[in-house]
Amino acid sequence: MENNNTVEKKPLKEKLKAWLARYGYAVVLTIIVLLVDCIVYWLTRYIAVNFKVFDFTIHGFDDKVPLLKIFFIPYLLAYPYWFIAPIIAAKNKKRFCNWFVAVMISFLITGIIYCFMPTTISRPIDEMLASDNPIDNWIGNFYLFDGGYVPFGCFPSIHCLLSAFCYIGVRNQKNIHFVNRVGILIMDILILLATQFTKQHYIVDLISAVFLAEFTFFICNKFNLGAKLERFITKIENKIFNKEAEKHQE
């Protein structure tokens, strides 16, 4: 029985090793993306408090968008989605490295805007907190946690920015299953809509984020700005694999 268990576990271990050998770099880079995302969103507000706050409301449009509570589901699902989708997109290392550099450049631009031209949005906090509905209370407390009455970091929307990048990562990649590409596109659209129907962003926040993602990726991919990163990753992988090969020979 012990021998059978050993035989059964070995293939899974080998599959995991093979998967990490192929996508381990993507896991590390994706974790870096999520960490920088948090830094840009949460730390820039400490600088932003010293500057004038702008309101980019388009009256007659943004103030007519309803609060649809169901859209908090895709809004919150964005967080695990941001980890899973980039790794799916990592089958092409060259493209993924350009993708990563584009994300970092867009975060830098976004962080500068957040610091020196902070924007805000009006949300129904008091209305939600005064409600007898526990879901409304949760939404009101979520608003308080995420910026309170004068939230910063709205333009461009990081939620829209990173979600747009997730689809850009898999777009036109024939080596990625069609179902995965369509699923990521649908999730992307739902998250973009969620930023509006949860009253977390205005339409200009959405449009600017998608434009920034498309522009930075176009430039990075066209001029292969991720080439040095790709060479560095390949060098590290070769060292790791050579050490593994030496261990097996011993």
Side-chain angles (χ1 to χ4, degrees):
M1 290 295 290
E2 291 180 0
N3 291 334
N4 289 338
N5 288 337
T6 305
V7 172
E8 289 174 3
K9 290 179 181 178
K10 189 175 180 181
L12 180 61
K13 186 178 179 180
E14 293 301 320
K15 285 180 181 179
L16 180 60
K17 278 187 176 181
W19 187 89
L20 287 174
R22 186 173 185 182
Y23 297 107
Y25 83 96
V27 173
V28 173
L29 293 184
T30 301
I31 291 172
I32 292 173
V33 165
L34 297 178
L35 288 174
V36 175
D37 176 8
C38 293
I39 291 170
V40 170
Y41 186 72
W42 291 104
L43 294 187
T44 54
R45 61 188 58 204
Y46 293 105
I47 300 174
V49 294
N50 299 310
F51 292 87
K52 177 184 175 182
V53 179
F54 294 84
D55 186 339
F56 288 165
T57 308
I58 298 177
H59 296 287
F61 181 85
D62 289 314
D63 48 2
K64 300 295 183 183
V65 175
L67 172 63
L68 302 180
K69 301 165 193 175
I70 191 67
F71 274 93
F72 271 96
I73 295 175
Y75 188 87
L76 295 175
L77 285 176
Y79 297 102
Y81 166 73
W82 293 338
F83 181 78
I84 296 168
I87 295 172
I88 293 174
K91 288 188 175 182
N92 185 324
K93 187 183 291 184
K94 176 182 176 181
R95 182 183 172 93
F96 190 85
C97 288
N98 287 325
W99 178 91
F100 176 82
V101 173
V103 173
M104 291 298 108
I105 292 173
S106 70
F107 278 170
L108 176 62
I109 294 170
T110 300
I112 292 171
I113 295 172
Y114 283 4
C115 286
F116 304 112
M117 196 184 74
T119 56
T120 191
I121 184 171
S122 176
R123 302 175 295 181
I125 297 178
D126 292 332
E127 179 186 337
M128 294 294 104
L129 293 175
S131 172
D132 294 328
N133 188 323
I135 294 177
D136 290 350
N137 293 160
W138 179 88
I139 291 172
N141 282 292
F142 176 83
Y143 286 152
L144 287 177
F145 169 76
D146 190 22
Y149 287 92
V150 186
F152 294 145
C154 296
F155 172 87
S157 162
I158 276 193
H159 242 76
C160 296
L161 179 69
L162 201 45
S163 298
F165 266 119
C166 285
Y167 177 63
I168 289 171
V170 302
R171 187 174 59 198
N172 299 326
Q173 287 213 63
K174 302 301 182 183
N175 58 339
I176 295 175
H177 198 285
F178 175 77
V179 172
N180 289 335
R181 283 184 280 139
V182 171
I184 288 173
L185 173 60
I186 292 171
M187 191 64 190
D188 185 33
I189 292 171
L190 286 174
I191 293 170
L192 296 183
L193 291 174
T195 63
Q196 304 301 297
F197 292 127
T198 58
K199 309 299 288 182
Q200 284 286 82
H201 288 280
Y202 292 136
I203 191 64
V204 68
D205 304 333
L206 185 159
I207 294 171
S208 60
V210 173
F211 173 81
L212 181 59
E214 293 286 356
F215 178 74
T216 52
F217 179 75
F218 172 78
I219 295 297
C220 291
N221 201 47
K222 182 177 178 62
F223 297 102
N224 195 21
L225 297 186
K228 289 184 178 180
L229 175 62
E230 183 185 3
R231 288 195 295 270
F232 175 75
I233 291 170
T234 301
K235 185 177 179 180
I236 296 297
E237 287 177 339
N238 288 338
K239 285 184 177 180
I240 294 171
F241 296 148
N242 288 337
K243 286 183 179 180
E244 285 290 325
E246 288 174 3
K247 285 181 181 179
H248 286 300
Q249 288 176 359
E250 292 175 357

